[in-house]
Amino acid sequence: MKRVMLVTVLALVGCQASTNLDDVSADATVGGGLPKGFLWGGATAGMTIEGGLTDTFTEWEKGTYPDGRPHIRDDQRSTVATDSWNRFDDDLAVIEALGSNVYRFSLEWSRLEPRQGEWNAPAMARYREWCARLRAKGIRPLVTIQHFTLPVWVAEQGGFENEATIPLIEAFTRRAVAELAGEVDWYVTVNEPNVLAVQGYLDGVFPPGKVGDTVTQTRVIATMLKAHAKMAAAIREVDTIDADGDGFATRVSLAHHVRYFQPASHDVLDTAIAGLTDDYANEAIPRALKTGRIFMDVPGAITLDEQVPGLAGSVDYLGLNYYTRDMVRADLGSASLSQLTYRPNRQLNDLGWDLYPDGLYSFLVRFSAYGWPIVITENGIPDTAGTQRSKYLVQHVAAIERAVRDGATVAGYVHWALIDNFEPIEGFHARFGLFSVDTTGSLKRTPTESAAVFKAIGDRVPR
Ligand code: BGC
């Protein structure tokens, strides 16, 4: 734990060696320094690619904010998305072209159980077939059970605001995983509890669209962690088949979103709030997974301190989603006690996020102290012009290699996203794909320049 604290302090004051953003000389060798057996591939989630869904997010899409703005930029809809529900052939061709040995995608609970107790067997069979087809090509399926969406009937009962959702998602997990046993070893239970809670209860940009409610936000995260513990136990119970022959029938984690927080100034209050924010958003979840104790503190609003049976030991690896860095300015009048900004004079991406590979390095070293291997389950960049992703990729893989040299245990890298996808909030305005998708008509998948870079790095990754 001492090491964790030291790295945290170093991270907060920004003291570690840094990656030169203009140095892409590593280009020709990067990837070769990753460990043997490394997982390498792309990611999607059902809500962003499948089309034809009815869930909490498709309902949210139809709505507007009090000032009349549509919830999704330009009032776009995910009705068709990239039509991946019907175009697995196309997606598989992309996965293969990229030289992947893993593909992360999600199940859609709303599709599999559209009404309580009603099971869509043909849809389940299709997901299973996807897994079998991936495996036949030597590609491991990494299956996310819940990625942001809930069936409307679950939300009507309170969603993750209500602990009664825990047995529902546990039962869903048990049933779906039983069907996938023998095809899948790698699982993510829930995607980004902190993002779902912050966007849904603090910023009001995800359903249910509540604003400034850090109390419910914190309880939702805790409920999702409890759900994760039950889901993990269910997965291990029903899937006892080692599909890929590596000696493990299941590898379970959740996908934890981290952001690299630095104080916006040397002001003591900015430093203190940056530390609190880091603990709440970044540290609390892995700490809870290790110790079984959820401790989350928003001073003046809520201090949640709870020991959860089954949470300690519930992950076999840590799934880490990393994109960017934020500068933290104390704002004691706001619900989160802070304002997040970006550092001036930095190269930013299409959504104005700072490009900061050293943040990834720092989290890999820091969280390796917990003892699990880490799989980067998301890392990527919205880049419509296609001018930044190649460099972003090279620099982030170089950061991973540097972390590995410094003792981090990293078992895989999964890029967000495999193809352009329908983003929550931004719709098709934010283009994350290694392959672009013609969303104006043909839905054809076309490699971006970064696809060749991804493939070239992958070819050097020791398999
Ligand atoms: C989410 C993805 C999302 C991505 C880019 C992540 O936090 O897991 O669903 O598309 O960020 O915005």
Side-chain angles (χ1 to χ4, degrees):
M1 240 4 153
K2 241 191 200 144
R3 177 157 183 219
V4 171
M5 280 173 62
L6 177 65
V7 177
T8 310
V9 171
L10 285 178
L12 288 172
V13 295
C15 272
Q16 85 250 354
S18 65
T19 308
N20 176 353
L21 274 184
D22 291 313
D23 178 16
V24 280
S25 58
D27 215 347
T29 54
V30 76
L34 295 171
K36 190 152 175 50
F38 201 76
L39 299 174
W40 182 254
T44 61
M47 65 173 290
T48 72
I49 60 160
E50 283 187 11
L53 294 167
T54 303
D55 57 38
T56 39
F57 277 71
T58 59
E59 292 309 293
W60 173 254
E61 264 168 45
K62 299 176 195 160
T64 53
Y65 293 107
D67 66 3
R69 275 177 309 119
H71 285 160
I72 310 296
R73 207 164 137 196
D74 286 346
D75 208 10
Q76 290 184 354
R77 299 291 150 87
S78 67
T79 318
V80 177
T82 60
D83 194 28
S84 286
W85 185 244
N86 300 305
R87 294 178 193 240
F88 187 69
D89 288 352
D90 296 359
D91 292 345
L92 184 57
V94 171
I95 296 162
E96 280 194 272
L98 288 169
S100 325
N101 62 7
V102 67
Y103 173 49
R104 177 179 176 218
F105 67 97
S106 76
L107 307 180
E108 272 297 315
W109 186 2
S110 65
R111 189 189 283 289
L112 290 168
E113 197 175 359
R115 275 159 294 277
Q116 188 159 14
E118 188 182 314
W119 189 250
N120 184 345
M124 191 67 236
R126 188 176 303 189
Y127 283 127
R128 186 179 164 94
E129 186 202 322
W130 289 1
C131 296
R133 291 186 59 195
L134 287 162
R135 286 214 317 132
K137 305 272 186 192
I139 298 154
R140 288 180 173 90
L142 194 171
V143 174
T144 308
I145 312 253
Q146 191 261 339
H147 193 118
F148 289 161
T149 56
L150 289 174
V152 173
W153 62 265
V154 176
E156 281 169 355
Q157 298 175 37
F160 287 118
E161 287 176 54
N162 184 353
E163 293 205 351
T165 293
I166 299 172
L168 298 177
I169 200 167
E170 179 191 356
F172 165 66
T173 304
R174 180 166 280 114
R175 186 157 189 181
V177 169
E179 303 259 4
L180 297 176
E183 299 292 354
V184 179
D185 288 349
W186 289 82
Y187 291 96
V188 161
T189 52
V190 291
N191 184 65
E192 300 187 334
N194 53 3
V195 173
L196 193 62
V198 168
Q199 308 277 57
Y201 297 89
L202 178 69
D203 296 337
V205 293
F206 277 12
K210 297 189 180 163
V211 177
D213 185 355
T214 50
V215 173
T216 312
Q217 167 192 295
T218 306
R219 294 204 176 116
V220 162
I221 294 172
T223 303
M224 290 185 76
L225 289 174
K226 293 175 193 173
H228 153 82
K230 295 287 189 192
M231 293 162 80
I235 292 168
R236 289 168 175 166
E237 191 187 310
V238 298
D239 181 349
T240 52
I241 307 171
D242 176 6
D244 60 15
D246 69 353
F248 299 93
T250 51
R251 305 286 243 171
V252 181
S253 181
L254 48 70
H256 177 41
H257 180 98
V258 288
R259 302 177 75 93
Y260 190 83
F261 295 113
Q262 276 183 307
S265 76
H266 292 299
D267 184 286
V268 65
L269 201 54
D270 285 350
T271 306
I273 297 293
L276 270 174
T277 308
D278 175 71
D279 191 77
Y280 183 97
N282 295 327
E283 195 71 44
I285 288 179
R287 182 173 60 218
L289 296 172
K290 188 72 186 178
T291 63
R293 179 179 167 199
I294 308 176
F295 180 83
M296 303 188 80
D297 189 25
V298 184
I302 181 170
T303 302
L304 191 146
D305 189 353
E306 203 176 335
Q307 191 70 34
V308 177
L311 189 54
S314 62
V315 300
D316 304 300
Y317 71 99
L318 182 65
L320 209 62
N321 295 0
Y322 173 81
Y323 289 86
T324 188
R325 152 171 81 170
D326 298 280
M327 310 308 287
V328 181
R329 193 171 294 288
D331 176 1
L332 301 187
S334 80
S336 66
L337 309 176
S338 65
Q339 297 292 337
L340 302 182
T341 59
Y342 291 104
R343 207 177 164 112
N345 306 319
R346 295 276 307 171
Q347 207 188 337
L348 304 178
N349 70 24
D350 287 0
L351 293 179
W353 306 347
D354 190 348
L355 312 183
Y356 193 61
D358 290 343
L360 179 59
Y361 166 89
S362 159
F363 282 116
L364 294 175
V365 173
R366 169 176 163 184
F367 288 155
S368 287
Y370 279 110
W372 312 292
I374 297 172
V375 174
I376 295 139
T377 35
E378 284 180 33
N379 172 243
I381 179 170
D383 178 25
T384 303
T387 51
Q388 291 182 314
R389 188 174 300 101
S390 297
K391 192 164 150 185
Y392 180 95
L393 248 175
V394 168
Q395 289 170 345
H396 282 76
V397 176
I400 300 169
E401 288 185 323
R402 195 153 60 83
V404 168
R405 279 200 302 276
D406 291 350
T409 44
V410 191
Y413 176 89
V414 179
H415 190 82
W416 186 273
L418 183 79
I419 52 176
D420 286 342
N421 63 105
F422 190 89
E423 280 285 309
I425 308 174
E426 297 292 328
F428 281 127
H429 281 291
R431 298 274 170 169
F432 279 89
L434 289 164
F435 272 56
S436 67
V437 177
D438 170 14
T439 52
T440 60
S442 73
L443 295 175
K444 189 169 180 293
R445 283 77 163 136
T446 309
T448 64
E449 199 186 290
S450 61
V453 175
F454 186 87
K455 169 80 168 56
I457 298 173
D459 287 346
R460 290 189 288 268
V461 169
R463 305 287 174 106

